[in-house]
């Protein structure tokens, strides 16, 4: 009788193949009155889970700087950091539109740099689109990218790459003048060809006005219920990041404490000598073991 094979290797389960969503389909969702879901992920394992949940857009956010890389903010994140994570995500997700977040310094230095770096997101990172933070000052860059075949998601309101200048992670557009400026920026970014726009940490009524004025979808994070879609940072949703919890970040699960409980149980079993047990160990035929023992009893040939 054939010996039962015991699996000893990691074999990633192939993600269930779902139809790939496209950028035009995301834009059409607004026209059709369908709400859009967007979530961040930074590796293939979580990208598979985001995919399985049926999320529409998967953002490889530069929030990775904080939740994955341990920085206090997103400023130190590099293109190489983002490309490595994007490529991993692209291997895990088949259904959502994949958006790569252009990190600080990758597009502010000129259109050529922006084009080169955005192209890296698509060629090396497997992304479908890129996201750029900023208002009217990014309009020329957005236009250049779109004219060269790169879909762009804009991002206004709280733009975390400017955290030092803003004096912290603060709600934006709280007075009429700043709100007017933000609305004008959003319109200019749509005119430049952006296919959607993130509205981060702004009063809900301002987001409602932007959403009414634009024909492209608005994706809110701390921007109220009237946006066409909503995005959150995966680690906030799952309770995997405790260092900073914005008011708008809703925790849907507390995976962090489950991880600690599991690791404590492993730690205790190893110290007690109860792991690994027979179920988690490999065997060999008695005849092979006996032959090994006899061989070891003989002096080694020199
Ligand atoms: O980096 C990020 O995760 C983001 C989202 C919060 C929109 O920009």
């Amino acid at each position: 009788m054939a010996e039962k094979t015991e699996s000893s290797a990691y074999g990633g389960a192939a993600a269930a193949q779902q139809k790939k969503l496209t950028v035009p389909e995301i834009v059409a969702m607004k026209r059709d009155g369908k709400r859009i879901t967007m979530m961040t992920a930074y590796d293939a394992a979580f990208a598979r889970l985001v995919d399985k949940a049926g999320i529409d857009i998967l953002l490889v956010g530069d929030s990775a700087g904080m939740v994955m890389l341990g920085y206090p903010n997103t400023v130190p994140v590099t293109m190489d950091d983002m490309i490595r994570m994007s490529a991993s995500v692209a291997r895990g997700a088949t259904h959502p539109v994949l958006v790569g977040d252009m990190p600080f310094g990758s597009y502010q230095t000129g259109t050529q740099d922006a084009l080169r770096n955005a192209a890296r997101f698509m060629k090396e990172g497997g992304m479908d689109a890129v996201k750029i933070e900023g208002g009217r000052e990014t309009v020329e860059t957005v236009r250049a990218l779109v004219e060269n075949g790169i879909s762009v998601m804009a991002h206004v309101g709280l733009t975390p790459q400017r955290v030092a200048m803003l004096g912290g992670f603060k709600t934006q557009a709280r007075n009429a003048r700043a709100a007017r400026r933000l609305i004008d920026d959003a319109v200019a970014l749509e005119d430049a060809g952006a296919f959607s726009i993130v509205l981060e940490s702004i009063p809900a009524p301002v987001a409602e006005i932007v959403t009414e004025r634009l024909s492209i979808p608005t994706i809110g994070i701390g921007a109220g219920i009237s946006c066409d879609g909503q995005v959150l940072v995966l680690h906030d949703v799952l309770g995997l990041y405790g260092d900073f919890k914005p008011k708008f970040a809703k925790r849907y699960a507390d995976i962090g404490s489950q991880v600690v409980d599991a690791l404590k149980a492993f730690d205790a079993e190893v110290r007690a000598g109860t792991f690994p047990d027979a179920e988690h160990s490999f065997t060999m035929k008695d005849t092979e073991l006996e032959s090994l023992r006899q061989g070891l009893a003989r002096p080694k040939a020199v």
Side-chain angles (χ1 to χ4, degrees):
M1 201 173 80
E3 198 181 8
K4 186 168 160 256
T5 312
E6 291 166 296
S7 170
S8 61
Y10 287 99
Q17 290 287 319
Q18 298 185 72
K19 187 185 156 297
K20 171 82 183 163
L21 266 178
T22 65
V23 165
E25 283 169 340
I26 295 292
V27 179
M29 286 175 79
K30 174 165 183 150
R31 254 195 337 264
D32 299 342
K34 293 183 184 155
R35 289 184 187 271
I36 299 164
T37 56
M38 174 161 131
M39 186 58 55
T40 66
Y42 316 94
D43 63 21
F46 275 110
R48 276 191 202 104
L49 300 177
V50 170
D51 190 313
K52 233 176 169 174
I55 300 289
D56 300 316
I57 305 176
L58 197 164
L59 171 69
V60 185
D62 65 352
S63 47
M66 297 160 84
V67 301
M68 295 292 288
L69 302 177
Y71 296 126
N73 55 52
T74 62
V75 173
V77 177
T78 66
M79 272 303 296
D80 287 345
D81 292 332
M82 293 305 296
I83 294 297
R84 178 60 66 92
M85 288 185 277
S86 297
S88 176
V89 162
R91 287 189 287 271
T94 57
H95 169 69
V97 166
L98 303 178
V99 180
D101 212 359
M102 304 268 299
F104 184 62
S106 68
Y107 57 94
Q108 293 90 342
T109 49
T111 307
Q112 290 305 311
D113 285 346
L115 278 166
R116 190 177 317 107
N117 286 321
R120 282 193 70 195
F121 266 108
M122 302 186 76
K123 289 161 76 86
E124 299 172 45
M127 297 289 101
D128 303 310
V130 296
K131 178 167 82 59
I132 287 185
E133 289 185 12
R136 63 199 63 192
E137 70 286 357
T138 63
V139 159
E140 286 319 309
T141 304
V142 172
R143 185 170 288 118
L145 292 176
V146 174
E147 279 174 358
N148 284 283
I150 298 171
S151 300
V152 180
M153 175 179 279
H155 182 158
V156 297
L158 173 58
T159 45
Q161 292 175 9
R162 293 164 194 236
V163 62
M165 205 170 80
L166 298 174
F169 296 96
K170 293 182 178 159
T171 303
Q172 302 296 303
R174 295 190 97 152
N175 61 51
R177 191 182 153 93
R180 177 63 204 251
R181 190 174 166 85
L182 183 141
I183 293 163
D184 291 346
D185 281 358
V187 170
L189 288 160
E190 167 166 318
D191 290 346
F195 78 94
S196 61
I197 183 164
V198 169
L199 306 178
E200 179 164 354
S201 206
I202 61 172
V206 177
E208 186 174 355
I209 294 170
V210 176
T211 302
E212 279 165 11
R213 294 220 166 177
L214 299 190
S215 54
I216 57 170
T218 57
I219 313 285
I221 175 164
I225 193 66
S226 301
C227 297
D228 300 301
Q230 298 291 330
V231 58
L232 285 176
V233 170
L234 181 76
H235 287 55
D236 291 335
V237 170
L238 299 183
L240 289 171
Y241 184 73
D243 295 0
F244 171 64
K245 190 177 173 307
K247 173 179 158 70
F248 55 71
K250 181 168 177 185
R251 185 172 281 185
Y252 286 82
D254 190 6
I255 308 294
S257 51
Q258 288 183 38
V259 170
V260 174
D261 288 347
L263 298 181
K264 278 185 177 165
F266 165 77
D267 182 89
E269 288 189 9
V270 171
R271 291 182 199 286
T274 56
F275 177 84
D277 52 12
E279 192 194 339
H280 298 95
S281 301
F282 299 104
T283 56
M284 67 193 291
K285 285 180 181 160
D286 290 347
T287 50
E288 292 298 327
L289 184 57
E290 187 47 36
S291 159
L292 172 65
R293 287 207 168 108
Q294 284 174 12
L296 289 171
R298 283 193 293 274
K300 197 175 169 193
V302 265

